[in-house]
Amino acid sequence: MPMSVKCKLLLYADDSALIISGSDPKVIAENLSKELESCRQWLIDNKLSLHLGKTEAIIFGSKRKLSKIKSFEVKRGGVVINNVNKVKYLGLQIDNTLAGENIVMSIVKRLILD
């Protein structure tokens, strides 16, 4: 799968993440859509599938920069991928500002419950 995309690809077991950086959200969304299509084609060629129900898009940035973004649409074909403000990756909740508050709160909750 790494050879099918030009962007950074994080892989762990059956979890994967495509990472694209840049300053223009529209260009990031377009490039991410292209990379997602390349990845999907590789999966098809290797008799695997992309689970669109579990596929999410997130854009990271400062609160100030994120508030200026009017649209961020990553598409797979004609289907718009669900855009979220936080994702769970490898058991950690990561928010779009990378503040780490969600990670700390989940650790505190686990400590209190144990």
Side-chain angles (χ1 to χ4, degrees), residues 84-101:
V84 296
N85 293 326
K86 58 185 173 182
V87 295
K88 190 168 189 175
Y89 188 69
L90 301 180
L92 296 175
Q93 283 280 359
I94 304 169
D95 65 32
N96 59 355
T97 62
L98 296 174
E101 293 172 24

Side-chain angles (χ1 to χ4, degrees), residues 22-45:
S23 57
D24 184 346
K26 184 177 179 182
V27 172
I28 293 170
E30 289 170 0
N31 289 338
L32 194 51
S33 296
K34 288 176 189 173
E35 295 295 338
L36 186 58
E37 183 56 33
S38 295
C39 186
R40 184 190 74 86
Q41 190 57 55
W42 183 90
L43 290 167
I44 290 170
D45 293 345

Side-chain angles (χ1 to χ4, degrees), residues 35-78:
E35 295 295 338
L36 186 58
E37 183 56 33
S38 295
C39 186
R40 184 190 74 86
Q41 190 57 55
W42 183 90
L43 290 167
I44 290 170
D45 293 345
N46 289 278
K47 299 184 181 13
L48 299 166
S49 63
L50 177 66
H51 191 302
L52 285 177
K54 290 185 173 183
T55 304
E56 299 172 321
I58 186 168
I59 188 163
F60 298 104
S62 66
K63 288 182 182 181
R64 183 179 57 82
K65 287 185 178 182
L66 290 171
S67 69
K68 294 179 182 180
I69 298 173
K70 294 176 179 49
S71 174
F72 184 71
E73 283 191 346
V74 177
K75 296 179 182 176
R76 208 294 297 150

